[in-house]
Amino acid sequence: PKGILMDYLKLLEKRAQFKFDIKTYDDFSNVMEDARNNKLDLILEIQEAPSRKAYLNFYFKLFESPYVIVGNRASGKAKTIKDFETASFYLPNDFAIVENLKLQFPKATILTPCGTDLECLKKISESEAAYFVGPKAVVTYYIESKNLH
């Protein structure tokens, strides 16, 4: 774990005079499994989705990035929201965006899930027929740092 959320956690530890036991994961699906099985007390970064409210409490957001829809440049001109109602998407497994997108676009197709945002973006760069939805900050970082198209 690193970044601004870890800085907040360290500050919270200092002020509360309490040390958290930090558990790291390589696969987000494992995070969700542990959350559903009440094996976690706190998750630093997780998006809200209706089904998650049954086993998680959500608090105020420390950071928020607008979401963007990304497609391969070869897929042509910019689309309208209506164009995405029946589109195909690569999305990370167990991410809230899967549930939230299906609520917005029930006829959309979720293709074989990816493990991470980067894995999905790589699939999009190879496909003209599918899209990805994710936080603009994450998408911009990966597209620029990994030279994706």
Side-chain angles (χ1 to χ4, degrees), residues 88-94 98 109-116 119-121 123-124 130-132:
S88 296
F89 294 88
Y90 284 111
L91 299 171
N93 195 31
D94 275 334
V98 175
T109 301
I110 308 300
L111 301 171
T112 306
C114 315
T116 65
E119 188 181 317
C120 289
L121 286 166
K123 287 184 178 191
I124 296 305
Y131 300 91
F132 171 75

Side-chain angles (χ1 to χ4, degrees), residues 30-46:
N30 294 335
V31 174
M32 295 310 301
E33 183 179 334
D34 280 359
R36 284 187 289 272
N37 292 317
N38 202 26
K39 293 182 179 180
L40 298 173
D41 294 319
L42 175 70
I43 301 173
L44 287 182
E45 183 180 358
I46 190 164

Side-chain angles (χ1 to χ4, degrees), residues 128-148:
E128 294 180 27
Y131 300 91
F132 171 75
V133 181
K136 184 177 181 180
V138 171
V139 169
T140 302
Y141 170 76
Y142 282 132
I143 288 173
E144 292 178 3
S145 68
K146 303 298 181 187
N147 200 27
L148 300 174

Side-chain angles (χ1 to χ4, degrees), residues 50-140:
S51 67
R52 292 179 176 180
K53 291 179 182 180
Y55 56 93
L56 293 173
N57 293 317
F58 291 90
Y59 299 97
F60 64 91
K61 297 175 184 175
L62 293 175
F63 175 80
E64 190 170 16
S65 176
Y67 274 63
V68 293
I69 300 173
V70 180
N72 188 308
R73 283 184 183 164
S75 65
K77 65 179 178 103
K79 309 289 185 203
T80 67
I81 291 294
K82 188 136 183 85
D83 294 322
F84 297 110
E85 289 177 355
T86 57
S88 296
F89 294 88
Y90 284 111
L91 299 171
N93 195 31
D94 275 334
F95 277 35
I97 191 61
V98 175
E99 182 177 339
N100 292 330
L101 184 111
K102 288 302 278 182
L103 288 172
Q104 179 84 24
F105 303 123
K107 295 179 183 173
T109 301
I110 308 300
L111 301 171
T112 306
C114 315
T116 65
D117 291 324
L118 178 57
E119 188 181 317
C120 289
L121 286 166
K122 285 180 177 179
K123 287 184 178 191
I124 296 305
S125 71
E126 300 165 358
S127 171
E128 294 180 27
Y131 300 91
F132 171 75
V133 181
K136 184 177 181 180
V138 171
V139 169
T140 302

